[in-house]
Amino acid sequence: MNPLLYTDGYKVDHRRQYPENTSLVYSNWTPRKSRIQGVDKVVFFGLQYFIKKYILEEFRHHFFNRPKEEVCASYSKRINNYLGANQVGIEHIAALHDLGYIPMVIKALPEGVEVPIRVPMFTMYNTLPEFFWLTNYFETLLSTTIWLPCNSATIAKQYRQLLDTYAEQTASTPEMVAWQGHDFSMRGMAGLEAAVLSATGHLLHFTGTDTIPAIDFLEHYYNADEDKELIGGSVAATEHSVMCMGTNSGELATFKRLITEIYPSGIVSIVSDTWDLWKVLTEYLPTLKKEVLNRDGKVVIRPDSGDPVAIICGDPDAEHPAAQKGVVQLLWDIFGGTTNTKGYKELDAHIGAIYGDSITLERAERICKGLAQKGFASTNVVLGIGSFTYQYNTRDTFGFAMKATYGEVAGEGREIYKDPITDDGTKKSAKGLLKITLDNGNYQLHDQVSWDEEQQGELREVFRDGQLLIDDSLSNIRKRC
């Protein structure tokens, strides 16, 4: 598809609506408001993918490398059928094709940094006067591509900070946290690109993921190398269909076959609540204790339904005695473990637990707190973070918007802004040219600056006139995170 059609319908004729002799439009991308309590900074991530995928790859293959007559004809057909009689024209489309590249400057903060609310992450403007219309023409495509990885990277960081805090207090191996948050979101996301964009945001802070395409994505767009660094990984694991095919009456045999024949060593995660989780924990595992402890590896028990906090930590009000104890306590009763120097119990290395259904930040904290109150290290359980976390968000979670703040008409600069009288201040934009400084570790916005001042500060040119100027790596971005 012609990438100039990757836009909202109202964009296509804005070129004629700007004042005559408009020659420059300067815009920025900014998180304007946080709807997550306690979060006032947003992790910046995804722009390099956008530039490589759309500005370079898509335009090269589906615009510049196609015959001009074909491109113009397809554009004209689509717009004429879409709008009816109109005067949008195709001369500007033909001119861009003749040019052979996107005449734009994009200046950005480094990906991976935390950007305060109301501080722009990047700016962009046209470099040739006749293509002033291109700047905000890209708003829709930019927005639909970039808000999600920023959202997920920010939310993943909240999980990482939470799990780091409890591991520091209760665990002997805080480095385990890199694997403690595991991405299970792919099947619940709104399509493959959304799944991968979200999963890569997750991988800025963790190494556990079941979203395999995210690894290829980071190698292709962020210079990662799976042979030289750990991008993301997982373990062998069952699903309910496997357990069901082994039958209810044969579940014990299925467990034994899995841990002695199919996976006699290494880590294997076994979904354990297909029928009766408590029976697995009080009958099957005691029967298989010797086999589990003789393995060179870990058997991970995976409950998959119910209240995660109660299942993992126990529910004193439950009717079933096993449910009162919870998964971690029951595993301790069977397999034991050690008490670390911080005074918290850690399960024997041959056994563990993971819970991956309906985890939220609030539930994750309650699980960690509940385990600590029972004398267990937080790292006794891995948490599967899924679409309940990453899909229940929108562009408005952090109020992302791309807005023009400066333009030039007939050679004269115009500082422009919006400030709706009916709004609560969220939609009030910056004004004029922008400069970002780093003061005491925090990015600060300065608007209404001169062009000389705009060239200073923390915004770096990452793209100019068809050329990617900074090609960052996953390892660098992870360090910033």
Side-chain angles (χ1 to χ4, degrees):
M1 188 177 190
N2 180 347
L4 283 177
L5 294 171
Y6 295 163
T7 191
D8 284 321
Y10 82 135
K11 290 284 187 183
V12 298
D13 206 22
H14 288 174
R15 176 181 63 91
R16 295 192 307 133
Q17 296 171 18
Y18 282 106
E20 288 188 19
N21 298 315
T22 297
S23 59
L24 186 138
V25 176
Y26 175 104
S27 295
N28 71 92
W29 172 259
T30 301
R32 300 177 298 181
K33 184 176 183 178
S34 175
R35 287 174 167 80
I36 299 180
Q37 187 174 4
V39 178
D40 59 4
K41 293 181 180 179
V42 183
V43 177
F44 174 37
F45 180 61
L47 178 62
Q48 183 166 297
Y49 163 71
F50 171 83
I51 293 171
K52 287 185 174 182
K53 168 66 175 177
Y54 293 106
I55 302 300
L56 296 177
E57 293 176 4
E58 289 282 316
F59 268 93
R60 180 171 64 249
H61 295 307
H62 303 299
F63 187 78
F64 294 120
N65 285 357
R66 288 173 58 192
K68 180 170 67 172
E69 295 75 15
E70 179 183 319
V71 167
C72 290
S74 69
Y75 188 88
S76 180
K77 174 185 175 182
R78 177 63 62 244
I79 300 306
N80 289 342
N81 287 334
Y82 175 68
L83 290 178
N86 68 81
Q87 297 181 21
V88 172
I90 57 171
E91 294 79 9
H92 56 305
I93 308 302
L96 181 61
H97 191 280
D98 289 340
L99 184 65
Y101 63 87
I102 299 299
M104 193 75 59
V105 165
I106 302 176
K107 298 178 66 176
L109 297 175
E111 294 196 38
V113 301
E114 283 188 306
V115 183
I117 297 298
R118 305 202 69 81
V119 173
M121 294 175 165
F122 61 86
T123 61
M124 58 189 298
Y125 59 92
N126 58 292
T127 58
L128 295 175
E130 61 268 36
F131 295 105
F132 68 89
W133 56 273
L134 264 181
T135 303
N136 266 32
Y137 197 99
F138 278 120
E139 176 188 2
T140 308
L141 184 55
L142 269 164
S143 180
T144 195
T145 305
I146 294 178
W147 69 259
L148 177 57
C150 291
N151 276 18
S152 293
T154 303
I155 295 167
K157 186 159 191 170
Q158 305 310 305
Y159 275 97
R160 183 61 194 252
Q161 290 172 335
L162 169 67
L163 296 174
D164 276 340
T165 297
Y166 276 95
E168 190 66 31
Q169 294 171 3
T170 68
S172 62
T173 54
E175 60 272 17
M176 162 66 181
V177 174
W179 292 98
Q180 195 179 7
H182 193 97
D183 179 23
F184 280 154
S185 66
M186 185 174 179
R187 68 187 61 190
M189 301 303 291
L192 184 59
E193 186 180 35
V196 173
L197 287 172
S198 176
T200 51
H202 175 92
L203 284 172
L204 299 189
H205 308 284
F206 295 100
T207 49
T209 184
D210 262 37
T211 308
I212 292 175
I215 299 170
D216 288 271
F217 175 102
L218 288 168
E219 286 193 316
H220 186 75
Y221 294 106
Y222 282 91
N223 299 300
D225 187 342
E226 192 176 29
D227 293 326
K228 297 179 180 178
E229 62 186 314
L230 176 58
I231 301 173
S234 188
V235 301
T238 72
E239 67 176 14
H240 288 292
S241 70
V242 171
M243 310 309 290
C244 288
M245 290 291 279
T247 74
N248 189 340
S249 61
E251 190 175 23
L252 174 58
T254 299
F255 265 82
K256 186 173 183 178
R257 174 172 169 265
L258 286 167
I259 66 178
T260 61
E261 298 178 30
I262 308 301
Y263 303 103
S265 62
I267 302 175
V268 57
S269 173
I270 305 176
V271 62
S272 304
D273 70 335
T274 303
W275 296 289
D276 189 340
L277 172 66
W278 308 123
K279 189 173 185 178
V280 168
L281 289 162
T282 59
E283 296 184 25
Y284 298 165
L285 289 182
T287 301
L288 296 170
K289 178 178 179 179
K290 181 179 178 180
E291 287 82 354
V292 171
L293 293 178
N294 285 339
R295 290 181 77 253
D296 180 16
K298 177 181 286 190
V299 174
V300 179
I301 300 303
R302 179 164 72 91
D304 197 35
S305 53
D307 178 345
V309 182
I311 299 296
I312 294 295
C313 301
D315 179 5
D317 299 322
E319 294 184 8
H320 199 298
Q324 294 173 10
K325 289 186 173 184
V327 170
V328 173
Q329 178 68 60
L330 289 168
L331 292 177
W332 175 268
D333 291 347
I334 302 166
F335 299 100
T338 60
T339 300
N340 62 36
T341 57
K342 298 173 183 177
Y344 292 89
K345 291 178 283 190
E346 297 184 349
L347 291 170
D348 184 276
H350 294 88
I351 196 73
I354 182 172
Y355 199 104
D357 183 71
S358 300
I359 296 296
T360 64
L361 276 164
E362 183 266 339
R363 286 173 176 163
E365 181 163 24
R366 288 171 58 201
I367 289 170
C368 292
K369 186 176 181 179
L371 288 175
Q373 288 174 341
K374 296 185 70 169
F376 288 101
S378 61
T379 50
N380 280 301
V381 64
V382 171
L383 300 177
I385 306 171
S387 59
F388 196 85
T389 284
Y390 290 133
Q391 178 70 10
Y392 275 53
N393 296 283
T394 71
R395 180 174 67 97
D396 291 328
T397 298
F398 296 113
F400 277 116
M402 179 176 166
K403 297 300 172 188
T405 59
Y406 178 83
E408 292 180 358
V409 180
E412 293 186 1
R414 294 184 179 182
E415 294 181 335
I416 60 177
Y417 69 101
K418 63 176 291 187
D419 187 10
I421 195 171
T422 53
D423 184 55
D424 62 2
T426 298
K427 293 185 176 182
K428 181 179 180 180
S429 69
K431 186 176 183 180
L433 297 172
L434 310 178
K435 174 184 174 182
I436 310 296
T437 58
L438 187 59
D439 304 323
N440 298 317
N442 289 308
Y443 290 103
Q444 302 283 342
L445 166 64
H446 308 269
D447 61 357
Q448 295 186 272
V449 302
S450 66
W451 270 114
D452 286 341
E453 292 173 304
E454 195 271 349
Q455 300 300 311
Q456 304 166 17
E458 299 300 317
L459 292 170
R460 311 169 302 167
E461 282 197 12
V462 296
F463 176 87
R464 177 182 280 270
D465 291 342
Q467 299 296 318
L468 183 69
L469 303 179
I470 295 178
D471 196 0
D472 216 338
S473 68
L474 171 64
S475 60
N476 285 338
I477 294 170
R478 277 177 163 171
K479 288 175 184 176
R480 295 186 194 116
C481 286

